[in-house]
Amino acid sequence: QVQLQESGPGLVKPSQTLSLTCTVSGGSISSGGYYWSWIRQHPGKGLEWIGYIYYSGSTYYNPSLKSRVTISVDTSKNQFSLKLSSVTAADTAVYYCARERFNWGQGTLVTVSS
Amino acid sequence: QPVLTQPPSASASLGASVTLTCTLSSGYSNYKVDWYQQRPGKGPRFVMRVGTGGIVGSKGDGIPDRFSVLGSGLNRYLTIKNIQEEDESDYHCGADHGSGSNFVWVFGGGTKLTVL
């Protein structure tokens, strides 16, 4: 069964870049046919899609975040990553990675604070 | 793009049944919706996809037969029968819209289910 695990700093300073990595096990990102997403959840709120990367490397982002988001993939490590630039306190959230709708990581809390 | 609306809370007694509702905005009555279960402190877990004809595809891994779905008009329903303590969770609905550079994945606000 495919499993996903998010990793990265839990604390980021305002104006800096948030960087997270999702490590996939039990399946290969490069095997094709799936898109790999980042989603976040503000404290006590609903889910917000950030963007996804297709196995071919094509990326698609939420228009509301597009100017600050970069998603990349490293198939040799079976990982994909998220970078969110110029963060503010409004970016404090639990960040999840997912394989389409089927498999989700457990999430990682990122707090933006000086 | 569609907007998904969910009531913020629901409750049901142990062993009873409950139906959760996700309502699509006007004009999106043909859209499929995905249901997710999120237990406290955990990531969302895919339950199943629903369209106007009912379930689309297969249930998520380990989802018991007590869970079922229906779709009618703008509403997509998740019914849980014989509710167990382990069913106490937040339930989210989601839908994808468009393709390529026009793709968006939207979610409702979630319903917190309390088992009494």
Side-chain angles (χ1 to χ4, degrees), chain A residues 35-47:
Chain A
Y35 55 86
W36 305 82
S37 276
W38 286 98
I39 305 100
R40 68 181 182 181
Q41 185 173 31
H42 293 102
K45 302 295 185 182
L47 300 165

Side-chain angles (χ1 to χ4, degrees), chain B residues 30-107:
Chain B
N30 62 329
Y31 270 55
K32 303 175 183 65
V33 158
D34 302 315
W35 282 100
Y36 302 90
Q37 177 191 56
Q38 186 177 26
R39 290 178 171 145
K42 301 294 185 181
R45 175 192 186 192
F46 173 67
V47 177
M48 69 186 88
R49 169 168 279 195
V50 55
T52 52
I55 186 172
V56 178
S58 302
K59 292 182 180 180
D61 292 337
I63 300 299
D65 292 342
R66 303 184 290 104
F67 287 68
S68 61
V69 292
L70 280 176
S72 176
L74 293 172
N75 293 320
R76 305 291 180 264
Y77 304 102
L78 174 67
T79 297
I80 310 172
K81 298 181 179 179
N82 186 23
I83 288 178
Q84 303 297 302
E85 289 183 1
E86 67 205 41
D87 299 331
E88 185 162 288
S89 302
D90 291 331
Y91 289 85
H92 303 274
C93 59
D96 49 68
H97 170 76
S99 61
S101 60
N102 295 318
F103 177 91
V104 290
W105 190 8
V106 295
F107 297 93

Side-chain angles (χ1 to χ4, degrees), chain A residues 41 49 52 60 96 100-101 104, chain B residues 36 38 44 46 100 103 105:
Chain A
Q41 185 173 31
W49 173 68
Y52 78 76
Y60 302 97
Y96 298 98
E100 295 195 6
R101 60 188 179 275
W104 294 61
Chain B
Y36 302 90
Q38 186 177 26
F46 173 67
F103 177 91
W105 190 8

Side-chain angles (χ1 to χ4, degrees), chain B residues 1-48:
Chain B
Q1 66 191 51
V3 174
L4 307 181
T5 302
Q6 298 181 255
S9 64
S11 63
S13 299
L14 199 63
S17 296
V18 69
T19 295
L20 307 179
T21 304
C22 175
T23 303
L24 290 149
S25 52
S26 178
Y28 295 96
S29 60
N30 62 329
Y31 270 55
K32 303 175 183 65
V33 158
D34 302 315
W35 282 100
Y36 302 90
Q37 177 191 56
Q38 186 177 26
R39 290 178 171 145
K42 301 294 185 181
R45 175 192 186 192
F46 173 67
V47 177
M48 69 186 88

